[in-house]
Amino acid sequence: MRWLLDAGLRRNMGLILALILLGAVGVFTAGDRFADSNNMMTIVRLAAVTGVVSIGATFVITIAGIDLSVGAILALSAVWASTLSGQVFAENTHWIFMVFTAMLIGTLAGLVNGILIAYGKVVAFITTLAMMAAARGLAEIISDKKTQIITVDGFLETIGGDLLGIPVIVLIFIAVSLGGWVLLNRTTFGRRTFAIGGNPEAARLAGVKVERHTMMIYALAGLCAGIGAVMLMARTTTGSATHGTGLELDVIAAVVIGGTLLTGGRGSIFGTVLGVLIFSTLTNIFTLNNLSLSVQLVAKGAIIVIAVLIQRQLAARQSRT
């Protein structure tokens, strides 16, 4: 029974309870409109893009980093992959070209962040803030501030379709979440990630190449943003410089709610997934009850503050033990 007392499990059980309570509120306030199976799938489908990007952000925050550029990188990846020339090439070859393009651009943008932070010793906040502005601006230049309509049928039918009755973007979310969990909890890469977040100098003395690993973490975050771009392109059938606006807030909030410490050293992929679902469910309840976007933003802000306060309490307890 000792595993039931594990602190990590208790945190996750708290998130599960919160999700159940939100479900009860949804049923109480919106009735069958909320409980309908189609609405349940809508909640997960809307959470998918944020969820995939949040998986990458979990690794970043676990090493006590921050990435404010994920929304802009997603937009840049989507715009670059959906250019007219790119779509023509995809139609003449294979639609998978668009997928690889988005993932490559996302990874390269994340890699630039990682190089500047790890080897250039530029503060992560400043680096990713600069990338947020640069990537968004470049996306606007490439698209001429116009929404690019995707007409590649193979891409839309495959990524935007269903498989065994489940939206493909939901299956991608599940696959990335499982892959992220294995990478963080069952590999040397994950152990090094926790070590760097806990004490980078101790990790260095233990033989971990901190700079290289940090660079790889930010490249991974960029890759997840690129995958998110593919999913959003399929869901909206467009590539736009406005994609991902404000996404960084939702991503950081989901990761923090999920129990990943902003000070580093502790991260939870499962907790992040639950955090994403909590926010998606909350947004769905607000929408069904015709509450304004302003109210939603206030609620999200309050939840983030509460989560940070809880983290501080947990950190204080750990320091005393």
Side-chain angles (χ1 to χ4, degrees), residues 238-318:
T238 63
S240 172
T242 62
H243 280 343
T245 301
L247 179 64
E248 51 280 340
L249 171 64
D250 291 340
V251 166
I252 294 172
V255 174
V256 172
I257 291 297
T260 299
L261 286 179
L262 288 169
T263 52
R266 190 181 74 200
S268 171
I269 297 296
F270 183 52
T272 294
V273 171
L274 290 174
V276 171
L277 291 176
I278 285 173
F279 275 110
S280 182
T281 303
L282 187 65
T283 300
N284 183 261
I285 292 172
F286 284 165
T287 301
L288 291 177
N289 288 281
N290 297 319
L291 295 176
S292 69
L293 177 61
S294 300
V295 176
Q296 296 182 37
L297 292 175
V298 170
K300 286 182 180 180
I303 291 173
I304 294 171
V305 171
I306 292 171
V308 172
L309 289 174
I310 292 174
Q311 282 196 5
R312 290 184 61 182
Q313 291 297 320
L314 291 173
R317 289 180 183 178
Q318 289 181 349

Side-chain angles (χ1 to χ4, degrees), residues 96-293:
I96 200 71
F97 171 77
M98 296 176 64
V99 175
F100 285 144
T101 299
M103 292 170 61
L104 177 62
I105 297 303
T107 302
L108 289 176
L111 187 63
V112 170
N113 278 337
I115 291 173
L116 290 174
I117 293 167
Y119 295 102
K121 305 303 180 183
V122 183
V123 177
F125 181 89
I126 299 300
T127 298
T128 57
L129 185 64
M131 177 60 74
M132 179 175 69
R136 187 75 67 182
L138 184 56
E140 291 180 352
I141 292 171
I142 293 173
S143 65
D144 195 25
K145 296 185 178 181
K146 297 177 181 177
T147 299
Q148 300 173 163
I149 305 300
I150 298 174
T151 58
V152 182
D153 292 335
F155 174 82
L156 297 176
E157 291 171 359
T158 304
I159 307 298
D162 294 352
L163 181 62
L164 302 177
I166 302 175
V168 172
I169 62 172
V170 172
L171 294 176
I172 294 173
F173 176 30
I174 294 172
V176 172
S177 299
L178 290 174
W181 185 89
V182 171
L183 185 62
L184 186 62
N185 297 284
R186 292 293 184 267
T187 67
T188 301
F189 185 91
R191 288 193 292 272
R192 290 172 178 170
T193 299
F194 285 122
I196 292 172
N199 190 324
E201 187 57 33
R204 190 190 313 278
L205 294 175
V208 177
K209 296 181 178 179
V210 176
E211 288 81 7
R212 186 177 70 178
H213 194 86
T214 299
M215 179 186 68
M216 293 170 65
I217 289 288
Y218 279 93
L220 177 63
L223 172 61
C224 288
I227 296 173
V230 172
M231 298 162 68
L232 192 57
M233 287 160 57
R235 199 181 79 191
T236 63
T237 70
T238 63
S240 172
T242 62
H243 280 343
T245 301
L247 179 64
E248 51 280 340
L249 171 64
D250 291 340
V251 166
I252 294 172
V255 174
V256 172
I257 291 297
T260 299
L261 286 179
L262 288 169
T263 52
R266 190 181 74 200
S268 171
I269 297 296
F270 183 52
T272 294
V273 171
L274 290 174
V276 171
L277 291 176
I278 285 173
F279 275 110
S280 182
T281 303
L282 187 65
T283 300
N284 183 261
I285 292 172
F286 284 165
T287 301
L288 291 177
N289 288 281
N290 297 319
L291 295 176
S292 69
L293 177 61

